[in-house]
Amino acid sequence: MSSRCCLGRRSVLLIVLVCGASFWTRLDAQRAPASANVAAESIKCWWKTDKDAVLIGEQFTLTLTCGVVENSRTKVAADAKQFEATALSLAPFEVLGGTAHEDIQDPPWRYFQREYHMRLLGETFFGQDVDIPALKIAYGMRSATTGEAEGRDQTIVLPALPMRVQSLVSKSAKNIRDGSTETFGDIETRLSQARSTLTAAGVFFAFAVVLLGLSARKVVGRYRERAPAKKRPLPAHAVLRGCLQGVGLLKSDVAREGWTEEMVGRALTLFRIAGAVALGRRVAQTVVDRDVDGRTGQLKVRKGRLSRKRTLVSAPTTADAIARQLANGAAPGPRTRMALDEIRESLIVFNAAHYRRNGQLDVTALDAALDHGETALRRMRFSTRWPWPIRTADALVKSVGRRGADV
């Protein structure tokens, strides 16, 4: 009884092994054609001759073109040595030499082309159709990342090409071949000519630009000689901007070193210039180079963002001159009057500190005067940047004040 049970188990196991083997055999058979098709779709080659018929000993050109796939995963590798002229065996034709052209990239394809110079020798071929024998091309699939081979090397076969000896068309030709003889070499020649032409055009264009620049410079030079340009003074808002920048630098220096005689003089210069602008008086301006330093009482102001010139600005305004202007009846707007009062008070403080006979500087008074003067400068700069709205607002304030006084 036990022996029969063992025999049954062995029979079942044998059947399972046979079925599994047949299943995997069928699966491999199904996979093999698919991989072969993938490999065949990864390379394509064709060849042609420039002549359909030749004489004995006459040279002709055989052109071989191949396209292989190269992507991020795999690439087709074909040994370049098999395409050399010395490696081809196309008997009875003789390969005299070969030419390799530069590859052309058309992702995911890369095309390469070889030209071979051929001839046929022998009296027995006269008046016959002689085939250029079929050509086998070996290739393999490689990994694009590691470069390792994937599967076995494979081959494709190019069909034989019939060649008529001393005839127009061979007997086995089914149709007339394309008579075009253009190759990659012709493309390279045209690209080289195009690059040379483009380079020459660029050189001639550069010469034209240089000549145009010289002509324009000459014309501008004549115009300057005939009508010299007038130097425009800095506008009021530019002068006030320079004063505000000077106040900012002065504050940083005072915070670092404290008040000194030189810093008191700088403050006087800034508020004298600001007082002249507020009174509507002209300030002295001298255009100099960027490296020239001004004298005592002068403020260096930048003339423009891209200009290498600077303007030295100065003014002799005093606190008494501002007081007389405010008391002569021609009262300015309320905003300008407030700014003039603050500038006059700052001038009084800095003038007393600058011309004192003895004693130390009153740091608290100087700091307060500097802050009040900066406030006045900002108010004035706002008024100069937006003159029409400020004038309209001042006129409204004056009219309301007069009506209130009449009532």
Side-chain angles (χ1 to χ4, degrees):
M1 187 69 179
S2 61
S3 61
R4 291 181 181 177
C5 182
C6 292
L7 289 174
R9 293 179 181 177
R10 290 178 181 177
S11 300
V12 172
L13 180 60
L14 182 60
I15 293 172
V16 170
L17 291 176
V18 171
C19 293
S22 63
F23 172 76
W24 288 111
T25 301
R26 292 179 182 177
L27 184 60
D28 292 340
Q30 293 177 358
R31 290 180 177 177
S35 61
N37 292 334
V38 172
E41 294 176 355
S42 301
I43 183 171
K44 51 185 178 180
C45 293
W46 62 94
W47 60 352
K48 66 176 182 177
T49 58
D50 63 336
K51 297 179 180 179
D52 293 322
V54 295
L55 299 173
I56 296 297
E58 181 183 1
Q59 295 187 11
F60 63 95
T61 302
L62 174 65
T63 304
L64 171 64
T65 308
C66 286
V68 295
V69 171
E70 292 183 354
N71 52 35
S72 59
R73 294 179 299 176
T74 60
K75 65 178 181 179
V76 178
D79 189 5
K81 293 183 180 180
Q82 64 181 325
F83 300 109
E84 295 181 358
T86 56
L88 289 182
S89 177
L90 300 175
F93 291 89
E94 181 183 358
V95 182
L96 302 178
T99 303
H101 297 296
E102 186 177 354
D103 296 352
I104 294 180
Q105 298 286 346
D106 186 17
W109 290 92
R110 177 176 64 86
Y111 296 94
F112 58 90
Q113 191 176 79
R114 304 290 187 272
E115 289 185 8
Y116 304 102
H117 305 290
M118 315 279 291
R119 71 178 179 181
L120 178 65
L121 297 177
E123 297 179 356
T124 59
F125 305 111
F126 183 80
Q128 299 181 11
D129 290 340
V130 183
D131 290 342
I132 299 176
L135 179 64
K136 292 183 178 181
I137 298 177
Y139 68 95
M141 306 295 292
R142 298 287 187 271
S143 174
T145 56
T146 62
E148 297 180 355
E150 296 181 353
R152 297 178 299 175
D153 290 344
Q154 304 181 34
T155 59
I156 60 173
V157 180
L158 293 179
L161 291 178
M163 180 63 68
R164 179 69 177 177
V165 180
Q166 204 177 23
S167 179
L168 294 178
V169 181
S170 58
K171 291 181 180 180
S172 60
K174 297 181 179 180
N175 53 12
I176 299 177
R177 301 177 193 168
D178 186 7
S180 175
T181 59
E182 294 184 351
T183 60
F184 285 9
D186 300 325
I187 298 176
E188 293 176 5
T189 302
R190 293 177 183 175
L191 287 176
S192 178
Q193 293 176 354
R195 294 191 189 100
S196 302
T197 304
L198 183 61
T199 302
V203 172
F204 290 137
F205 180 76
F207 277 119
V209 171
V210 171
L211 293 177
L212 182 62
L214 293 176
S215 302
R217 181 179 180 183
K218 192 173 183 179
V219 171
V220 172
R222 289 180 180 177
Y223 177 77
R224 287 182 176 179
E225 291 178 359
R226 294 178 182 178
K230 296 182 180 180
K231 296 181 180 179
R232 296 182 179 180
L234 290 176
H237 66 86
V239 175
L240 293 175
R241 182 188 63 207
C243 292
L244 279 173
Q245 292 175 355
V247 170
L249 292 175
L250 180 60
K251 277 191 169 184
S252 61
D253 293 341
V254 169
R256 184 175 58 255
E257 302 176 6
W259 283 102
T260 61
E261 293 288 342
E262 186 266 339
M263 294 181 186
V264 173
R266 286 167 56 184
L268 271 176
T269 300
L270 294 172
F271 293 120
R272 284 172 178 172
I273 296 172
V277 174
L279 293 174
R281 298 179 181 179
R282 291 186 177 181
V283 295
Q285 299 185 20
T286 304
V287 179
V288 296
D289 292 332
R290 181 172 54 184
D291 300 332
V292 176
D293 295 330
R295 299 189 302 271
T296 303
Q298 290 181 328
L299 174 66
K300 184 188 291 188
V301 181
R302 185 174 59 185
K303 191 172 179 60
R305 293 184 180 274
L306 302 178
S307 177
R308 297 178 58 88
K309 298 294 184 178
R310 297 293 184 267
T311 302
L312 299 178
V313 184
S314 61
T317 310
T318 61
D320 294 339
I322 295 176
R324 288 194 299 270
Q325 181 70 21
L326 294 176
N328 63 0
R335 185 180 296 270
T336 304
R337 172 180 286 276
M338 187 181 301
L340 283 172
D341 286 334
E342 293 176 346
I343 292 174
R344 184 177 65 84
E345 293 176 359
S346 298
L347 283 175
I348 292 173
V349 174
F350 287 114
N351 190 62
H354 186 68
Y355 295 103
R356 76 187 188 286
R357 295 184 179 181
N358 51 23
Q360 296 182 351
L361 295 173
D362 189 353
V363 176
T364 304
L366 293 176
D367 290 338
L370 186 60
D371 291 337
H372 293 162
E374 184 181 11
T375 303
L377 282 173
R378 294 187 183 280
R379 187 180 293 110
M380 290 172 53
R381 187 162 184 263
F382 181 80
S383 300
T384 54
R385 291 187 65 180
W386 308 96
W388 291 105
I390 298 300
R391 291 178 183 175
T392 303
D394 291 342
L396 290 175
V397 171
K398 286 183 179 180
S399 61
V400 170
R402 290 174 182 176
R403 290 180 182 178
D406 294 338
V407 173

